Amino acid sequence: MSRWKPDAAGRLIKAAITLFAEQGYEETTVAEIAERAGLTKRTFFRYFSDKREVLFSGSGELERLWLEAMAGAPAKATPLAVVTAGLDPVAELFIERHDFARIRARIIEANPELKERELIKLQTLTGAIKAALIERGVSATAAILAAQSGVTVFHVAFTNWVHQDDPTAFRRMMGESLQELRAVIAS
Amino acid sequence: MSRWKPDAAGRLIKAAITLFAEQGYEETTVAEIAERAGLTKRTFFRYFSDKREVLFSGSGELERLWLEAMAGAPAKATPLAVVTAGLDPVAELFIERHDFARIRARIIEANPELKERELIKLQTLTGAIKAALIERGVSATAAILAAQSGVTVFHVAFTNWVHQDDPTAFRRMMGESLQELRAVIAS
């Protein structure tokens, strides 16, 4: 189920991000988000534990998609090749979320507690990728190094992507970020 | 200043880690730590805001030492070479702290909130290394990739080091971790 179809969760996310952009994250209440979406507070709390969770609602989908792409990688692929198999589908997923991602990035950058939460979510993603590599028979050390490298490549590209105007640039930016990591490490 | 006992902080750290090992982290109070060190609670709070801070008291020193080693790297060194200049001095610093590090690692691994704090401290270190690279004229993207890689190499080696018995093995483990990262990325 995509959160971005006109279902309740998708409408709540859209309403929330619109209000965050219009009047600020801190200033927006759950009641206002529900009202803007034409839904009740009760419905909001069926999908999100609080307004903060709206900002992180995509992380489960990101992880599922990334792990799915890894599962489809050839058995003999190197650990890094397995991890980076996730980059293109993830870039694809994000293209239509550029506006959301940009507003979200501004909110998170201005709020230390949200920055910490973002960091923890990335660490959870790294842990899941590492576990999937170990499952494939990769050593623990190679698994953590490949997982961390992949998530760093993703995050560097993501940060660059939200700070420019072209939604379709994410895929290219992932490639550039990976290439730059190779250059940095090979040097 | 005259009322301050010599190396009060060191004595408090030693007392704290002894008590954490003997009776558990959760079960140990600041009053007990101060008593074991032959000092008052008031003296404890001159050095640490709470008992948790005892576990993270080394992070400032780690960062200073790492940045100092980077500052001593040749002007023409590659970003990764600048970052990894910090690994040997950091390994040296930790050798005599193996017992502390091992007890500390067990406590942190068992406590999600402390794990988050550890993660944030590592992120702060990464940010400081990145900033030092940018100061040297490295591009922002290369700086974050090199900084993140260096801290990952350190952290992987650190985790391996606290899970084995030889305090002097840290330096070698740093080298192995760096070599394995190179192999993973080159593959």
Side-chain angles (χ1 to χ4, degrees):
Chain A
M1 181 189 78
S2 167
R3 292 249 162 94
W4 300 81
K5 301 259 170 70
D7 57 354
R11 279 159 63 192
L12 287 162
I13 291 171
K14 201 164 178 178
I17 208 75
T18 307
L19 287 166
F20 295 164
E22 276 173 19
Q23 63 190 40
Y25 170 76
E26 301 293 352
E27 290 72 15
T28 300
T29 66
V30 166
E32 288 172 312
I33 296 168
E35 198 195 335
R36 179 67 68 105
L39 297 163
T40 62
K41 267 176 76 173
R42 221 179 125 176
T43 303
F44 178 95
F45 288 118
R46 232 181 255 142
Y47 293 96
F48 308 102
S49 57
D50 51 37
K51 75 175 173 183
R52 197 183 60 170
E53 270 313 300
V54 176
L55 297 175
F56 296 99
S57 59
S59 59
E61 202 176 348
L62 167 62
E63 184 180 311
R64 271 194 305 281
L65 196 72
W66 197 321
L67 295 181
E68 207 178 278
M70 286 176 63
K76 295 211 161 172
T78 65
L80 189 69
V82 175
V83 173
T84 55
L87 298 180
D88 275 359
V90 163
E92 208 58 47
L93 169 75
F94 275 94
I95 284 179
E96 65 183 53
R97 304 185 182 181
H98 194 234
D99 288 340
F100 173 85
R102 298 186 81 177
I103 297 164
R104 178 184 179 279
R106 276 203 299 277
I107 295 164
I108 289 176
E109 279 160 21
N111 184 320
E113 189 233 327
L114 295 176
K115 273 168 103 166
E116 289 187 2
R117 187 152 184 81
E118 175 90 319
L119 185 63
I120 290 157
K121 291 277 185 184
L122 286 170
Q123 188 63 17
T124 304
L125 175 64
T126 307
I129 292 172
K130 176 192 168 192
L133 286 172
I134 289 173
E135 192 76 18
R136 290 175 73 105
V138 175
S139 78
T141 300
I144 183 63
L145 291 168
Q148 184 67 63
S149 297
V151 171
T152 299
V153 163
F154 159 74
H155 194 231
V156 165
F158 184 78
T159 305
N160 291 339
W161 178 67
V162 297
H163 288 102
Q164 56 82 59
D165 292 329
D166 179 8
T168 67
F170 199 7
R171 201 171 164 139
R172 175 176 56 77
M173 288 176 147
M174 292 272 216
E176 287 167 358
S177 174
L178 177 59
Q179 220 171 347
E180 186 132 10
L181 176 66
R182 285 194 197 277
V184 161
I185 301 299
S187 69
Chain B
M1 293 294 285
S2 58
R3 288 181 305 152
W4 291 27
K5 302 264 176 84
D7 195 27
R11 280 161 63 193
L12 287 163
I13 291 170
K14 202 165 177 176
I17 209 76
T18 307
L19 286 166
F20 294 164
E22 277 173 20
Q23 64 190 39
Y25 170 75
E26 302 293 351
E27 291 72 14
T28 300
T29 65
V30 166
E32 288 171 314
I33 295 168
E35 197 196 335
R36 179 67 68 102
L39 296 164
T40 63
K41 267 175 76 173
R42 221 179 124 176
T43 303
F44 179 95
F45 288 118
R46 243 185 242 139
Y47 293 96
F48 308 103
S49 56
D50 51 37
K51 74 176 172 182
R52 196 183 61 170
E53 270 313 300
V54 175
L55 297 175
F56 296 98
S57 58
S59 58
E61 200 176 350
L62 166 63
E63 183 180 313
R64 270 193 307 280
L65 197 72
W66 197 321
L67 295 181
E68 208 179 278
M70 286 176 65
K76 296 212 160 170
T78 65
L80 189 69
V82 174
V83 173
T84 56
L87 298 179
D88 275 359
V90 163
E92 207 59 45
L93 168 76
F94 275 95
I95 284 178
E96 65 183 51
R97 303 187 182 179
H98 195 234
D99 287 339
F100 173 86
R102 298 186 82 177
I103 295 164
R104 178 184 179 280
R106 276 201 299 277
I107 295 164
I108 289 176
E109 279 160 21
N111 184 319
E113 189 233 326
L114 294 175
K115 273 168 103 165
E116 288 186 1
R117 187 152 184 80
E118 176 89 319
L119 186 62
I120 290 157
K121 291 277 185 184
L122 286 171
Q123 188 63 17
T124 305
L125 175 64
T126 307
I129 293 172
K130 176 193 168 190
L133 286 173
I134 289 173
E135 192 76 18
R136 290 175 73 105
V138 175
S139 77
T141 301
I144 183 62
L145 291 168
Q148 184 67 63
S149 297
V151 171
T152 299
V153 163
F154 159 73
H155 194 230
V156 165
F158 184 78
T159 305
N160 290 339
W161 177 66
V162 297
H163 288 101
Q164 56 83 59
D165 292 329
D166 178 9
T168 68
F170 199 6
R171 200 172 164 138
R172 174 176 56 76
M173 288 175 147
M174 292 271 217
E176 287 167 358
S177 174
L178 177 58
Q179 220 171 347
E180 187 131 9
L181 176 66
R182 285 193 198 277
V184 162
I185 301 299
S187 69

